[in-house]
Amino acid sequence: SGAFDTLGLMNYMDIMRLITFVETIPATSDENVTVTDTKFSDVPVRLYLPRGAPGGLRRGMVFFHGGGWCLGDAGMKSYDHMSRRVSNELNVVVVSVNYRLAPEHRFPSAFEDVYAVTKFFLQSSVLAQYRVDPGRVCVAGDSAGGNLAAAVAQQLLEEPEVKTKLKAQILIYPVLQALDLDLPSYRDNENKPILPRSLMVRFWSEYFSSEPVLREAMASNRHVPAEAAHLFQFVNWSHWLPVEMRGAHQYRGPTLGSGALARRYPGLLDLRASPLLASDARLRHLPHTYILTCEHDVLRDDGVMYAQRLRALGVRVTHDHAQDAFHGALMFNFWPMDLSVAHRLFRRYIEWVDENL
């Protein structure tokens, strides 16, 4: 993490933004898929329409890219490649959302954007326009996008006016809670590439505020006030993690911080930011769920605990744990960053969508 601290957050973010910019390609149709940049409910989206056989209804997917709520774009080569393949190979209309990013737009801007797009797409007139079967629509996302997908699926349960129910939610190494940033996965993978702990702490804190006081509190895991202590039951890894994932780690209860931070940044305890904090009553109505977790990932335990909680409540869950994979592995699925693990995980994802959507 020394390198990140020396570079400073803004320099690092600028470099990452530059990579995002360089990696982003214009909307280009091919013989299989028509690709256009448009807006749904005033939010920019990249729309992928399969050109396959015109008969019958198609499936629908609303996809949210990762990047710690600060980075990323639906048009990045790796996301474009994945959306194109899902659309073409599975005859799926894919709506890939370019939600507003932090630090310019803090929580809950990203959530509000993806939620508005999902609600817009789920209208029966819109589904009909794109010939999408209302019984076969899912939300999906990786990393921070998995966070947004989980939050959208939960929030839709509270919306009586949205008549179309999601068939599935697909959460690819999702980030699901800001309550405990000292889980075994955070300890085991503190300095792993792609997403070291210091960077995840920064993404979380930037999502809410640029104030160093928040980042410092989160870095030392002292950002949760005593009045929120009851929420720790939902992230108590000594209860929710399978024995083999706890390793030699001992559970220490939370170190509670001052209430001032949570009052200043209510997002810290908001379910739309930390879907893992939802009550059982809310979680038990969620749709069929696919969760991918990677062993070498600070976010591993977020996904594992969500899978365990959902299963315990009778939600249908497929939880794939990739023992040999790291955070962001799916991005490495084409030249020059071509990794066999990325191809394997992507094939598995395609297979699951095909069988379950």
Side-chain angles (χ1 to χ4, degrees), residues 13-33:
M13 288 287 181
D14 288 343
I15 292 165
M16 298 286 277
R17 284 203 174 141
L18 184 64
I19 292 170
T20 298
F21 178 74
V22 168
E23 279 289 298
T24 300
I25 52 178
T28 314
S29 302
D30 60 34
E31 65 277 13
N32 302 313
V33 184

Side-chain angles (χ1 to χ4, degrees), residues 300-354:
R300 175 191 74 203
D301 296 348
D302 282 23
V304 174
M305 291 195 291
Y306 203 45
Q308 299 281 97
R309 281 194 66 201
L310 293 180
R311 256 196 204 126
L313 295 166
V315 176
R316 280 177 70 201
V317 179
T318 305
H319 172 209
D320 281 346
H321 181 65
Q323 211 51 59
D324 56 343
F326 52 90
H327 189 79
L330 234 59
M331 305 292 280
F332 298 89
N333 57 14
F334 62 98
W335 189 89
M337 297 290 234
D338 220 352
L339 300 182
S340 59
V341 63
H343 287 280
R344 189 185 85 231
L345 297 180
F346 187 69
R347 267 198 309 276
R348 170 66 184 136
Y349 160 61
I350 288 261
E351 209 171 83
W352 192 91
V353 175
D354 197 27

Side-chain angles (χ1 to χ4, degrees), residues 47-84:
L47 185 62
Y48 297 80
L49 300 173
R51 292 185 175 185
L57 292 175
R58 311 182 280 203
R59 304 184 266 197
M61 172 186 285
V62 190
F63 184 86
F64 316 129
H65 68 76
W69 310 283
C70 298
L71 305 160
D73 192 285
M76 285 175 76
K77 287 179 194 145
S78 43
Y79 289 120
D80 184 73
H81 173 85
M82 290 196 282
S83 298
R84 229 170 250 279

Side-chain angles (χ1 to χ4, degrees), residues 69 106-108 147 176-179 204-205 207-209 214 218 223-225 231 260-275 277:
W69 310 283
R106 311 255 177 226
F107 173 83
N147 166 281
L176 296 169
Q177 57 86 34
L179 210 63
W204 262 127
S205 60
Y207 196 27
F208 302 128
S209 159
L214 177 63
M218 293 182 101
H223 54 290
V224 178
L231 294 171
L261 278 180
R263 279 192 296 278
R264 205 149 70 241
Y265 314 112
L268 274 180
L269 304 171
D270 195 308
L271 298 184
R272 295 168 302 169
S274 293
L277 304 185

